[in-house]
Amino acid sequence: MGFSPYEQHLRSGRENHVGLVAEVTDSKGFAEAVRGLGGKLASADIKGLQVFQRKIEGAELAVVYFAYPGDRNYLEAAAAFTEATSDVDWSKLVKAHPRAREGEVWMQMEWINFIRGVETERQATKSLMIGTSLRPEREFEYRTLHQTVWPGVVDAFSRTNGRNLSIFLIEFDGRLLKFLYTEYVGEDAAKDEAAAQADPVNQRWWKLTDACQKPFSDVKEGNWAELDRLR
């Protein structure tokens, strides 16, 4: 029996990408703690740490993103982050997800899609995290689409200078929330975005994926909302 693309990646030893989530209870203290995170991250092999925050359906959610070595247990990434930031008492700043491990506040989200892109060693000129929700009745369809991402979608992402696209999924308060992290390595974002929007493969793909999504209630246009970057 063959392995899924996800399991093949985990078995490959290549770098993994991690998304953690928790509900913020002290926004000011949380922001200060995030800015002060220091050198223990490197010793825990946590690279490229970024932290985002947004109010979603009444809850202030924090999303932590980082890259994690492929030769370490991917499912221990949340514990590794907690240990590397042990000088911070997260329990005073965030409320744990109900399914977080005992004694932990951070819940590791499902990593359901990854597109590496090109220029993997080049410094990113921009990174962002966006979010939306998934219609429960379309979950199977959405997951199936991302198990079989069209080659043309991957090619268009690479041609328009995209890199390290990850999609994370988590159940929160009865909703299926979806977060997408991506990096841009080009010099003309407006030109590349226009090319991505005009690509006919992308247009057909988005018609399918958009039908599976439901924007947050405060989003007035489109399906996605950008999260604020704290670090």
Side-chain angles (χ1 to χ4, degrees):
M1 182 179 294
F3 298 112
S4 69
Y6 168 77
E7 191 168 3
Q8 287 175 346
H9 183 92
L10 293 183
R11 288 170 172 264
S12 72
R14 289 178 291 176
E15 185 176 76
N16 296 308
H17 297 258
V18 176
L20 311 178
V21 68
E23 183 177 355
V24 177
T25 55
D26 178 353
S27 291
K28 182 178 179 181
F30 179 76
E32 290 175 354
V34 165
R35 287 193 293 268
L37 294 178
K40 291 183 180 179
L41 297 169
S43 62
D45 292 325
I46 291 172
K47 298 194 305 182
L49 178 74
Q50 296 179 57
V51 183
F52 304 85
Q53 186 174 339
R54 191 183 195 278
K55 193 170 187 177
I56 299 173
E57 311 301 354
E60 198 75 40
L61 296 188
V63 175
V64 173
Y65 166 87
F66 57 88
Y68 198 62
D71 60 355
R72 298 185 63 175
N73 185 345
Y74 170 68
L75 294 176
E76 296 295 332
F81 175 76
T82 300
E83 184 176 350
T85 59
S86 58
D87 53 334
V88 177
D89 187 353
W90 294 114
S91 65
K92 294 182 178 180
L93 305 174
V94 299
K95 177 183 176 182
H97 187 282
R99 290 194 294 111
R101 290 184 179 182
E102 185 176 354
E104 297 282 343
V105 299
W106 294 101
M107 177 66 189
Q108 188 165 341
M109 297 186 284
E110 286 186 81
W111 184 33
I112 68 168
N113 192 40
F114 177 65
I115 301 177
R116 188 181 187 194
V118 295
E119 300 285 359
T120 54
E121 301 303 321
R122 186 176 178 183
Q123 182 70 30
T125 52
K126 182 181 180 181
S127 64
L128 80 159
M129 181 78 71
I130 55 178
T132 188
S133 59
L134 192 61
R135 297 181 185 275
E137 70 275 13
R138 308 296 288 268
E139 180 180 0
F140 179 79
E141 179 182 352
Y142 188 83
R143 289 179 179 273
T144 301
L145 284 167
H146 284 81
Q147 281 289 301
T148 56
V149 177
W150 302 347
V153 171
V154 176
D155 294 346
F157 179 72
S158 299
R159 280 198 303 270
T160 53
N161 291 303
R163 183 180 70 184
N164 287 343
L165 182 151
S166 284
I167 298 178
F168 303 101
L169 185 65
I170 186 72
E171 178 276 331
F172 190 90
D173 240 4
R175 300 180 182 89
L176 285 171
L177 302 184
K178 187 159 65 79
F179 298 98
L180 183 153
Y181 171 85
T182 188
E183 296 172 354
Y184 176 69
V185 295
E187 301 297 335
D188 191 336
K191 179 181 177 180
D192 283 327
E193 176 62 18
Q197 293 291 332
D199 188 280
V201 179
N202 275 346
Q203 291 173 0
R204 296 198 303 274
W205 172 260
W206 288 331
K207 283 183 179 179
L208 296 176
T209 58
D210 284 354
C212 300
Q213 297 168 174
K214 181 180 180 181
F216 304 143
S217 59
D218 63 339
V219 174
K220 304 305 180 185
E221 185 177 349
N223 277 325
W224 294 94
E226 186 170 349
L227 279 67
D228 296 326
R229 181 175 171 179
L230 301 182
R231 176 194 172 97

